Amino acid sequence: MNPLRFLLLSATSLFAVSLVSCVSVDYPQATAAELEMGRALTPPKGQGLLVVYRKPGISMTTGKVPTIVRVDGKPHGANHAGTFVVVPVSKGPHVMHMDPNPSLARGILSHSFQASPGKCYFIRQDVETKVDKILLVPTPAPVPRMEPVSSPVSEAVGRAEVAKCKQLGGNGVIKLAGRP
């Protein structure tokens, strides 16, 4: 590999790590009721339960990027790698939005679902590194960007993956530090 290209790739990676590390999110602690729902993954009487989670990961960059969870426009917490948030939902249609930017009113990804009493709904979140630009100065080098992804999963898969995660709160309190 060309030494100059290696240096440029290293500098780009360090920049991405430093960019992520300067933004920290104060994750809300779960209330007693949320902890109980999270332990049992049992919806409250007459409601459904939405469980939004991120699998544990080892990525130094994407694992720490917060993904904000909003249901019907209301914030319910933020996930990072290895965490989950539970949200009780009433019967009927709902929309879950996700975004790594807490200042946006609505997320860039959304999932609509019809809640039924007594059912659990699982949505797996992740943040992936994508390369869609090449910097040509002085030699070609990829320019990475982070992209949030989410997908509904079956109850069996969701329960198995959530069992390896730590529960965070959902009182809608998301505080950012290190941002201007």
Side-chain angles (χ1 to χ4, degrees), residues 32-92:
E34 289 169 336
L35 282 172
E36 185 57 37
M37 281 185 281
R39 272 191 221 93
L41 291 179
T42 304
K45 186 174 176 122
Q47 292 185 307
L49 187 66
L50 175 65
V51 183
V52 185
Y53 69 97
R54 286 186 47 196
K55 290 173 36 173
I58 58 171
S59 173
M60 288 176 43
T61 54
T62 60
K64 295 194 181 284
V65 174
T67 48
I68 310 307
V69 177
R70 289 182 178 86
V71 177
D72 301 330
K74 182 180 180 225
H76 284 278
N79 282 329
H80 56 83
T83 63
F84 71 98
V85 173
V86 297
V87 182
V89 288
S90 60
K91 179 182 177 181

Side-chain angles (χ1 to χ4, degrees), residues 9-22:
L9 283 171
S10 299
T12 303
S13 297
L14 285 173
F15 175 73
V17 169
S18 66
L19 182 65
V20 170
S21 64
C22 71

Side-chain angles (χ1 to χ4, degrees), residues 35-171:
L35 282 172
E36 185 57 37
M37 281 185 281
R39 272 191 221 93
L41 291 179
T42 304
K45 186 174 176 122
Q47 292 185 307
L49 187 66
L50 175 65
V51 183
V52 185
Y53 69 97
R54 286 186 47 196
K55 290 173 36 173
I58 58 171
S59 173
M60 288 176 43
T61 54
T62 60
K64 295 194 181 284
V65 174
T67 48
I68 310 307
V69 177
R70 289 182 178 86
V71 177
D72 301 330
K74 182 180 180 225
H76 284 278
N79 282 329
H80 56 83
T83 63
F84 71 98
V85 173
V86 297
V87 182
V89 288
S90 60
K91 179 182 177 181
H94 297 278
V95 178
M96 188 282 304
H97 293 283
M98 168 197 158
D99 198 293
N101 183 351
S103 63
L104 295 177
R106 291 177 34 163
I108 59 172
L109 291 177
S110 64
H111 292 284
S112 298
F113 63 99
Q114 184 77 22
S116 297
K119 285 200 68 175
C120 288
Y121 304 90
F122 292 85
I123 297 179
R124 179 193 306 139
Q125 300 175 318
D126 201 1
V127 177
E128 297 177 348
T129 303
K130 302 281 186 178
V131 175
D132 57 3
K133 293 182 183 178
I134 301 293
L135 186 61
L136 298 174
V137 179
T139 61
V143 178
R145 67 178 169 82
M146 291 181 207
E147 180 178 295
V149 294
S150 66
S151 59
V153 297
S154 71
E155 188 168 345
V157 168
R159 284 183 184 276
E161 291 179 344
V162 166
K164 301 172 188 165
C165 298
K166 174 187 171 196
Q167 183 177 358
L168 296 176
N171 356 358

